[in-house]
């Protein structure tokens, strides 16, 4: 890739001496990791987790890229997240403060959480779930979502959480791919003050196929009328409500699968990213302790992510609880019932650590700083962002307006596949540069390489790779080892290819430049270009479709679709604006409202090379309102002019 200049913003933020003096991390952590190699991770695994049986081998990398960490050790993830804190005398500490969108709330101490997960585990076993079975969870962001995940882990079942915003079709394909035996859902939830439904989507998903499912366990949340299928559907309050609070966690192998989580890839079919137990928990707990400077006795931690995404797995359901934290979980959106909702929650619970997305920050920035100004945010001491790059303007706003100028900000880069944070500042240690994730975590070997896999010099951009296996790495793509090898380990031989472009600045710090494949990042959510194109293509009025991710001020990127109408739609002479709206809604229904194109542009032609490949780069120029780039490789060089003219009309 081309050499380019270092970013213009040179403002840096050094940690305060007071913060450094009390920080969990010190600069020596990097040196220790360097000196100890994989033994560094063995030490973390033993210090941060409780094992039933200690391991004798740290890493088996004899059959790359299939890694085994702590292989002969045994442990249980739910025991580590819950029971051991009760046994250590911390049963009265609050584990979860649940805040519902309508304002209802409930707190669970570790002792209460232990009872709830034990009851849920007994109920699931009563419904025939055994070790190794897959359980699909399609739930709102309520405490039962975390309880259901932990209950699966407790019995050794593999959870597959499907984001509650996904469509029935998306749920069906994930349930089928994983051959789930049980689906856990809710009647619905609350969204912007109104009830929104989940159970009907489960009924629809199971109406055709998905025959592996024996039971559906339904949490009552919004009191809406739902149909219950006799013999298949069971209410949570009946099955879990009547179950015993006594349950012995299953002894799991460190390499037993903990969960599968589907994420968008470069083809239409989502990938089931598989994570296992020992390494995943080790790196999750390690990063959570040092990146957020967690003090479990005094901190109140709040990660705003939904459990439908990896952030909600690693940094809501597992690491914070493994580390014995008190955390907040919130069901709703930042603007319901008013635009101060997030700050009201920070004030109510005295949140000290807040982990959120750049899109949320940019949105709240637009609403004006008077809104957070009405709340007491003085409890905050560490702020974090994830999911997409944070622009320096949003960073400095977050720092000044929310953090009162005193809180370190960690910009954490990682992926569903990496399982845990890989690149981030360490608060109290790193001098922060707004907009850059900067430094690999201790023990992680990150590089930026050119087309031939050679490291690029400072000041240059290239592809982001990971040079060595790490404990929380994905182990495979569910049921598809070949795709695992092809997707991540074939582009640069023995290095993991992350799919992101990155730049090293003059100091060697890493700046993430965004995806270099057919994946878009909208509000920190990963969306696949071909998946949206095929959803559009399934609309009867669409003959051809191409989708690009165009830069967007608020959401980072926005989906812009270019569509050629089918002959029939053309002949009918339908109103184009109406058709475009119909196509947007169609994508919303096929995949999810988050995948809906911001704009559908109806055009006469698409730019193609002589071999028929669509040149999305040129469409991106149009979508971003720039002069169109080099068209010399197009089969018909007038196409771009035709498109521009038709849109002008
Ligand atoms: O492109 C990178 C972007 O999000 C992708 C991973 O998406 P997902 O698997 O859904 O996980 C998101 C939450 C961990 C990455 O390939 N990304 C994630 N964090 C950052 C980021 N881009 C820039 N800066 C970040 N801090």
């Amino acid at each position: 890739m081309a050499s380019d200049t270092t970013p213009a913003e040179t403002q840096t933020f050094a940690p305060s001496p007071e913060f450094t003096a009390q920080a969990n991390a010190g600069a020596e952590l990097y040196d220790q990791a360097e000196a100890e190699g994989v033994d560094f991770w063995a030490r973390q695994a033993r210090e941060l987790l409780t094992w039933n049986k200690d391991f004798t081998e740290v890493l088996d990398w004899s059959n790359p890229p299939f890694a085994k960490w702590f292989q002969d050790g045994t442990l249980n993830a739910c025991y580590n997240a819950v029971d051991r804190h009760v046994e250590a005398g911390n049963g009265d500490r609050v584990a979860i403060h649940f805040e519902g969108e309508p304002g209802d709330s409930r707190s669970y101490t570790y002792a209460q959480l232990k009872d709830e997960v034990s009851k849920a585990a007994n109920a699931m076993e009563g419904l025939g779930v055994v070790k190794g079975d897959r359980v699909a969870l399609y739930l709102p962001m309520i405490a039962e979502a975390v309880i259901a995940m932990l209950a699966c882990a407790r019995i050794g079942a593999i959870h597959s959480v499907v984001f509650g915003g996904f469509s029935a079709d998306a749920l069906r394909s994930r349930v089928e791919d994983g051959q789930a035996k049980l689906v856990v859902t809710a009647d619905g939830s609350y969204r912007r003050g109104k009830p929104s439904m989940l159970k009907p989507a489960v009924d629809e998903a199971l109406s055709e196929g998905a025959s592996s499912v024996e039971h559906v366990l339904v949490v009552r949340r919004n009191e809406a009328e739902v149909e219950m299928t006799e013999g298949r559907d069971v209410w949570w309050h009946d099955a879990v409500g009547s179950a015993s609070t006594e349950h012995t966690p299953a002894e799991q192998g460190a390499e037993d699968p903990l969960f599968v989580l589907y994420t968008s890839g470069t083809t239409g079919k989502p990938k089931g990213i598989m994570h296992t137990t020992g390494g995943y928990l080790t790196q999750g707990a390690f990063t959570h302790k040092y990146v957020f400077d967690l003090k479990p006795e005094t901190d109140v931690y709040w990660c705003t992510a939904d459990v439908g995404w990896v952030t909600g797995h690693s940094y809501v359901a597992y690491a914070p609880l493994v580390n014995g934290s008190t955390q907040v979980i919130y069901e709703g959106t930042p603007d319901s019932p008013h635009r101060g909702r997030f700050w009201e929650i920070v004030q109510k619970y005295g949140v000290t650590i807040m982990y959120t997305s750049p899109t949320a920050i940019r949105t709240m920035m637009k609403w004006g700083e008077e809104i957070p100004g009405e709340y007491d945010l003085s409890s905050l001491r560490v702020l974090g962002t994830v999911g997409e790059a944070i622009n320096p303007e949003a960073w400095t706003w977050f720092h000044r307006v929310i953090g009162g100028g005193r809180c370190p900000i960690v910009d954490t880069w990682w992926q569903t596949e990496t399982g845990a944070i890989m690149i981030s500042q360490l608060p109290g240690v790193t001098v922060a540069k707004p907009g850059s994730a900067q430094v690999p975590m201790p023990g992680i070997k990150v590089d930026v390489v050119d087309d031939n896999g050679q490291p690029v010099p400072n000041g240059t951009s290239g592809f982001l790779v990971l040079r060595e296996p790490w404990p929380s790495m994905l182990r495979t793509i569910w049921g598809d080892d070949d795709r695992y090898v092809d997707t991540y380990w074939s582009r640069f031989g023995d290095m993991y290819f992350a799919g992101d472009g990155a730049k090293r600045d003059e100091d060697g710090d890493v700046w993430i430049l965004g995806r270099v494949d057919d994946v878009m990042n909208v509000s920190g959510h990963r969306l696949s270009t071909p998946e949206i194109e095929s959803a559009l293509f399934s609309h009867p009025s669409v003959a051809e479709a191409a989708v690009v991710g165009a830069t967007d001020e608020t959401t980072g990127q926005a989906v812009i679709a270019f569509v050629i109408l089918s002959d029939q739609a053309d002949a009918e002479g339908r109103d184009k604006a109406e058709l475009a709206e119909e196509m947007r809604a169609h994508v919303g229904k096929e995949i999810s409202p988050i995948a809906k194109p911001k704009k559908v542009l109806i055009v006469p032609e698409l730019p193609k090379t002589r071999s028929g490949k669509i040149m999305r780069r040129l469409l991106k120029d149009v979508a971003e309102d720039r002069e169109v780039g080099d068209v010399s490789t197009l089969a018909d060089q007038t196409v771009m002019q035709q498109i521009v003219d038709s849109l002008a009309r």
Side-chain angles (χ1 to χ4, degrees):
M1 277 192 192
S3 161
D4 33 28
T5 51
T6 30
E9 26 331 285
T10 44
Q11 200 185 6
T12 56
F13 293 78
S16 70
E18 301 78 55
F19 194 99
T20 302
Q22 60 81 61
N24 288 346
E28 72 287 351
L29 212 52
Y30 295 105
D31 306 331
Q32 287 167 1
E34 192 62 39
E36 293 173 34
V38 295
D39 291 339
F40 176 77
W41 291 118
R43 192 155 62 79
Q44 302 306 330
R46 292 189 176 107
E47 275 176 28
L48 296 166
L49 304 180
T50 304
W51 296 78
N52 290 89
K53 182 160 113 4
D54 192 18
F55 49 88
T56 58
E57 188 184 20
V58 183
L59 168 66
D60 175 358
W61 189 237
S62 59
N63 179 29
F66 298 93
K68 292 187 174 127
W69 285 87
F70 318 122
Q71 195 185 167
D72 59 344
T74 65
L75 76 172
N76 182 279
C78 181
Y79 173 84
N80 272 275
V82 183
D83 304 47
R84 64 174 182 151
H85 304 307
V86 180
E87 289 170 15
N90 294 319
D92 291 339
R93 183 185 298 164
V94 171
I96 296 175
H97 289 298
F98 166 69
E99 177 78 16
E101 189 184 271
D104 57 321
S105 61
R106 178 173 170 190
S107 297
Y108 299 75
T109 63
Y110 274 94
Q112 289 165 336
L113 189 60
K114 176 170 175 283
D115 286 350
E116 293 304 317
V117 294
S118 299
K119 280 164 39 181
N122 281 318
M124 285 184 190
E125 284 179 340
L127 294 172
V129 177
V130 297
K131 179 176 166 134
D133 281 345
R134 273 78 59 208
V135 176
L137 309 182
Y138 186 64
L139 285 159
M141 192 55 187
I142 55 179
E144 286 81 354
V146 176
I147 292 167
M149 291 165 84
L150 294 170
C152 288
R154 196 171 182 90
I155 57 186
I158 303 165
H159 58 70
S160 162
V161 181
V162 180
F163 174 56
F166 276 136
S167 66
D169 278 346
L171 173 63
R172 180 191 298 123
S173 67
R174 286 157 175 79
V175 166
E176 275 176 358
D177 189 71
Q179 290 290 296
K181 199 185 220 179
L182 173 70
V183 178
V184 185
T185 189
D187 45 5
S189 177
Y190 296 95
R191 216 69 191 150
R192 302 206 156 84
K194 290 194 223 94
S196 78
M197 299 304 293
L198 283 172
K199 177 66 166 51
V202 176
D203 294 334
E204 191 185 331
L206 301 188
S207 65
E208 304 159 30
S211 58
S212 59
V213 175
E214 293 172 7
H215 289 288
V216 179
L217 188 55
V218 189
V219 177
R220 184 177 279 160
R221 171 65 188 141
N222 68 2
E223 307 287 337
E225 281 282 326
V226 292
E227 271 179 39
M228 296 291 278
T229 302
E230 179 87 34
R232 186 194 71 182
D233 300 353
V234 185
W235 284 108
W236 175 282
H237 55 259
D238 289 336
V240 177
S242 62
S244 159
T245 55
E246 295 300 317
H247 184 276
T248 309
E251 185 170 343
Q252 296 289 103
E255 281 297 338
D256 283 344
L258 183 62
F259 67 84
V260 173
L261 178 60
Y262 288 82
T263 187
S264 298
T266 52
T267 70
K269 190 172 179 275
K271 303 177 283 197
I273 303 300
M274 191 185 93
H275 283 285
T276 59
T277 309
Y280 173 79
L281 293 180
T282 300
Q283 200 176 328
F286 169 77
T287 50
H288 184 255
K289 173 175 174 179
Y290 291 104
V291 172
F292 300 112
D293 191 50
L294 179 84
K295 309 284 193 295
E297 300 79 15
T298 46
D299 275 318
V300 179
Y301 163 89
W302 181 25
C303 166
T304 64
D306 189 284
V307 288
W309 310 106
V310 74
T311 309
H313 281 60
S314 303
Y315 297 103
V316 177
Y318 289 107
L321 297 173
V322 166
N323 284 342
S325 333
T326 295
Q327 71 174 324
V328 175
I329 70 174
Y330 172 53
E331 179 183 29
T333 54
D335 56 352
S336 195
H338 57 79
R339 289 177 166 182
R341 190 72 165 113
F342 268 23
W343 317 121
E344 181 180 72
I345 291 173
V346 169
Q347 175 178 286
K348 174 172 175 184
Y349 295 103
V351 171
T352 59
I353 305 169
M354 185 177 182
Y355 191 30
T356 192
S357 71
T359 289
I361 296 165
R362 288 191 292 262
T363 304
M364 290 185 282
M365 207 171 142
K366 273 207 229 153
W367 295 341
E369 60 187 79
E370 315 74 63
I371 296 177
E374 287 168 25
Y375 299 88
D376 178 5
L377 307 180
S378 61
S379 57
L380 288 169
R381 62 179 204 92
V382 179
L383 304 174
T385 68
V386 63
E388 47 183 328
I390 180 161
N391 48 316
E393 298 72 36
W395 195 103
T396 42
W397 186 87
F398 198 32
H399 187 257
R400 178 176 60 81
V401 177
I402 306 305
R406 73 184 175 272
C407 305
I409 298 182
V410 288
D411 173 356
T412 64
W413 177 88
W414 58 294
Q415 308 177 297
T416 307
E417 292 87 341
T418 69
I421 295 168
M422 303 294 279
I423 308 180
S424 171
Q425 293 79 13
L426 285 181
V429 180
T430 317
V431 175
K433 288 180 188 165
S436 166
Q438 290 184 285
V439 263
M441 286 296 292
I444 300 300
K445 296 280 185 305
V446 167
D447 212 341
V448 181
V449 299
D450 64 16
D451 267 324
N452 304 315
Q454 294 304 311
V456 301
N458 288 352
T460 315
S461 58
F463 303 101
L464 187 69
V465 295
L466 300 165
R467 285 195 170 274
E468 282 173 17
W470 62 100
S472 63
M473 65 192 275
L474 77 163
R475 297 305 194 259
T476 191
I477 292 174
W478 183 257
D480 202 345
D481 286 349
D482 291 343
R483 193 174 175 197
Y484 166 63
V485 176
D486 285 353
T487 310
Y488 307 106
W489 299 94
S490 60
R491 179 79 172 75
F492 296 111
D494 58 356
M495 294 185 273
Y496 169 90
F497 172 47
D500 278 319
K503 175 162 59 186
R504 278 200 190 280
D505 67 15
E506 295 304 339
D507 303 323
D509 284 335
V510 177
W511 297 68
I512 309 293
L513 301 175
R515 303 291 304 194
V516 292
D517 53 10
D518 279 344
V519 173
M520 290 169 285
N521 189 329
V522 178
S523 304
H525 296 145
R526 237 164 108 165
L527 299 172
S528 140
T529 305
E531 199 179 350
I532 300 179
E533 288 174 355
S534 57
L536 281 166
F537 195 64
S538 70
H539 187 282
S541 303
V542 175
E544 285 189 68
V547 162
V548 297
T551 304
D552 184 274
E553 212 178 61
T554 307
T555 56
Q557 284 191 315
V559 181
I560 308 291
F562 294 81
V563 164
I564 304 180
L565 293 185
S566 63
D567 290 347
Q568 195 200 338
D570 238 356
E572 284 168 2
R574 292 199 40 203
D575 179 52
K576 284 189 178 171
E578 202 177 282
L579 264 177
E581 199 41 47
E582 206 179 288
M583 291 170 191
R584 289 182 65 240
H586 181 71
V587 175
K589 185 177 175 306
E590 289 286 304
I591 306 174
S592 157
I594 52 177
K596 262 193 197 173
K598 185 173 177 186
K599 279 189 211 154
V600 173
L601 304 173
I602 294 173
V603 293
E605 278 301 334
L606 290 173
K608 289 183 189 149
T609 60
R610 269 174 283 273
S611 60
K613 198 171 167 316
I614 296 176
M615 293 193 69
R616 292 191 182 73
R617 167 174 68 76
L618 299 174
L619 294 173
K620 208 168 157 167
D621 289 340
V622 174
E624 293 179 348
D625 213 6
R626 263 198 305 271
E627 196 172 326
V628 174
D630 181 10
V631 296
S632 60
T633 54
L634 288 183
D636 173 357
Q637 300 195 2
T638 67
V639 165
M640 288 317 294
Q641 198 52 50
Q642 292 178 42
I643 292 174
V644 171
D645 291 347
S646 82
L647 295 176
R649 281 200 299 274

